Amino acid sequence: MKITNVEAFWLRCPIPKEKQHFSDYGLLTDFDMTLVVVTTDTGLQGFGEAKAAVGSSGVCASIVTCVEKEIKPLLVGKDAHHITRIWEHIYNGTRDHYALKRGRKFPILGRRGLTISAMSGVDTALWDLKGKALGVPVVQLLGGACREKMPAYASGGWAGTDKIGEQLLGYVSKGFQGVKMRVGVMDESVQESIRRVRAAREALGENIKLMTDAHGTFSVPEAKQFCRGVEDCNLYWFEEPISPDNRHGTAEVKASTAIPIAAGESEYTAFDVRDLIEVRALDVVQPDSAIIGGITEAMRVAHLAHAYQLELAPHCWGSAFSFMAGVNVAFAAPAATIIEFSLGGNPMMYDLVQEKIQAVDGMIEAPTAPGLGLTPNWDFVKEFKQTI
Ligand SMILES: [Mg+2]
């Protein structure tokens, strides 16, 4: 199964006005993604996603260029089965022979950032391809599903103090037993974030899992104040309290509270996650397969979570492709217990693919379709493809 072509498409689709929301990223009016397509001489194609942003909106031009101008020439003619070898080849560049001979990295300069995002899309497409070639879901290639079903949590929660309870209860009425709400600078003050969380907990009662996400926008003192103000709200986790650039600061926030601290969606490679774990910044690890380095690297992070006895909760805010990559990793990982399910306006999750993505009664079933089990809707791709 030799690789004959590697393509990347930047798609930008408007979010319908009634589904737009205001968050720490501002008002999101569009959803962007990069669809990576790896074609082989068998006619089989694999699909993956590469991200230029952790949120919905981001310019993907650099990723497209990196995939088509830098990575494609390295891959054409290679055997698509050799996923790890290809990962090491891209990551180590001209020195990959040293890397594979000596068992350690000799990385290219683009060992973090959008080069790794681009690699993520390619790597995920290769896993998709291999699953299709063997007629099994990706999770089967990763060791098999650890469970039949997993709970999903509803990821949303942008409403103000007066409406947040109603908004989150709307998710609960769809069957979700866990919900995530946004806090942070979008609230203008820490006190307002605290008020919103307290209102949410009051409306939800004791038994629904409640998570909060500040998208890295608080300062260390603000994050500590927030934790103190909601310490009795039984939060399941507090996500990205402060900037991902401040690892020791995240550890300081964690040391100040009993609330579990989650992060990882803004990190590149298992090396970044290892450093976060080593400074004791994390309780919950959240790799995004479209950012961290693909399914290969997300599984390396899953093994780190296992070894350090941390919870794994893949970041699944993106298109159907990164969602299903996260789902396959979560099912394969003993350390994962819950899957993120976007309740925002997300055409990339529902209109980009022919399959129907859903959580039934708040649960997701173990994948069974070959590869990632997704077929692009090519009319959608044609309509929303951006010219670079
Ligand atoms: Mg987040």
Side-chain angles (χ1 to χ4, degrees):
M1 193 165 64
K2 292 238 186 312
I3 296 170
T4 54
N5 200 7
V6 184
E7 297 162 282
F9 304 101
W10 168 19
L11 310 181
R12 168 169 283 180
C13 177
I15 300 171
K17 197 137 194 115
E18 67 279 8
K19 291 188 177 167
Q20 293 175 5
H21 61 259
F22 182 85
S23 78
D24 293 319
Y25 292 103
L27 180 71
L28 297 171
T29 56
D30 298 285
F31 213 112
D32 293 282
M33 70 89 72
T34 326
L35 177 67
V36 176
V37 183
V38 177
T39 304
T40 64
D41 59 3
T42 63
L44 270 183
Q45 287 187 315
F47 306 108
E49 178 180 359
K51 283 188 192 166
V54 288
S56 316
S57 261
V59 172
C60 304
S62 301
I63 290 181
V64 170
T65 305
C66 184
V67 169
E68 298 197 336
K69 305 288 183 202
E70 296 182 33
I71 297 179
K72 176 186 166 181
L74 298 173
L75 265 54
V76 169
K78 292 247 174 353
D79 186 339
H81 289 103
H82 296 163
I83 301 174
T84 314
R85 198 191 293 180
I86 288 173
W87 199 99
E88 299 300 330
H89 185 46
I90 303 169
Y91 192 74
N92 295 291
T94 56
R95 300 192 294 176
D96 74 317
H97 56 295
Y98 291 137
L100 291 173
K101 188 173 171 194
R102 292 170 188 252
R104 54 196 165 83
K105 310 295 184 209
F106 291 76
I108 54 171
L109 185 58
R111 72 194 204 287
R112 299 291 185 276
L114 296 187
T115 305
I116 302 296
S117 289
M119 272 179 71
S120 302
V122 172
D123 179 83
T124 300
L126 291 174
W127 282 100
D128 181 39
L129 254 177
K130 193 170 201 171
K132 284 173 181 162
L134 297 173
V136 296
V138 168
V139 66
Q140 199 68 261
L141 306 174
L142 301 174
C146 291
R147 37 192 92 79
E148 312 270 299
K149 286 181 179 187
M150 284 184 71
Y153 72 87
S155 189
W158 300 277
T161 311
D162 53 336
K163 289 271 171 38
I164 188 69
E166 189 187 319
Q167 187 174 49
L168 297 178
L169 284 171
Y171 306 158
V172 174
S173 73
K174 293 186 164 94
F176 294 99
Q177 293 296 299
V179 296
K180 186 163 86 185
M181 63 181 286
R182 270 60 190 177
V183 296
V185 291
M186 62 182 263
D187 288 331
E188 296 296 336
S189 75
V190 176
Q191 282 309 316
E192 185 57 20
S193 285
I194 293 170
R195 275 193 287 276
R196 288 179 58 243
V197 173
R198 301 195 73 83
R201 176 47 86 198
E202 198 177 331
L204 292 169
E206 278 181 17
N207 297 327
I208 301 294
K209 282 187 172 126
L210 175 60
M211 297 80 143
T212 54
D213 186 349
H215 304 108
T217 59
F218 280 143
S219 66
V220 171
E222 286 170 339
K224 288 182 183 173
Q225 284 163 26
F226 172 78
C227 289
R228 199 166 306 150
V230 297
E231 199 84 52
D232 60 345
C233 291
N234 189 25
L235 293 187
Y236 192 66
W237 74 55
F238 178 25
E239 181 171 327
E240 289 201 308
I242 65 160
S243 164
D245 279 344
N246 191 350
R247 290 178 185 163
H248 287 278
T250 308
E252 197 181 322
V253 174
K254 178 171 135 56
S256 77
T257 180
I259 300 168
I261 300 298
E265 68 184 65
S266 305
E267 304 301 335
Y268 291 97
T269 77
F271 299 120
D272 277 356
V273 175
R274 175 205 59 195
D275 290 351
L276 274 166
I277 293 173
E278 282 186 352
V279 297
R280 297 199 168 265
L282 296 184
D283 297 289
V284 182
V285 192
Q286 302 177 295
D288 186 320
S289 65
I291 296 172
I292 195 98
I295 289 174
T296 297
E297 204 65 2
M299 276 312 289
R300 287 170 174 161
V301 171
H303 296 316
L304 278 177
H306 165 79
Y308 283 90
Q309 294 289 281
L310 304 173
E311 183 167 341
L312 181 84
H315 180 244
C316 289
W317 184 276
S319 83
F321 293 94
S322 60
F323 176 78
M324 282 311 297
V327 166
N328 277 274
V329 167
F331 270 94
T337 64
I338 200 163
I339 292 170
E340 178 170 27
F341 197 91
S342 158
L343 271 278
N346 187 346
M348 299 302 180
M349 187 97 150
Y350 305 107
D351 305 330
L352 170 60
V353 294
Q354 294 174 24
E355 292 75 12
K356 193 171 180 210
I357 303 268
Q358 57 181 352
V360 179
D361 292 330
M363 301 295 286
I364 294 176
E365 303 211 351
T368 53
L372 294 176
L374 298 170
T375 323
N377 176 354
W378 292 110
D379 289 338
F380 182 95
V381 174
K382 210 185 281 173
E383 186 174 352
F384 297 107
K385 180 179 175 286
Q386 303 299 299
T387 315
I388 294 168

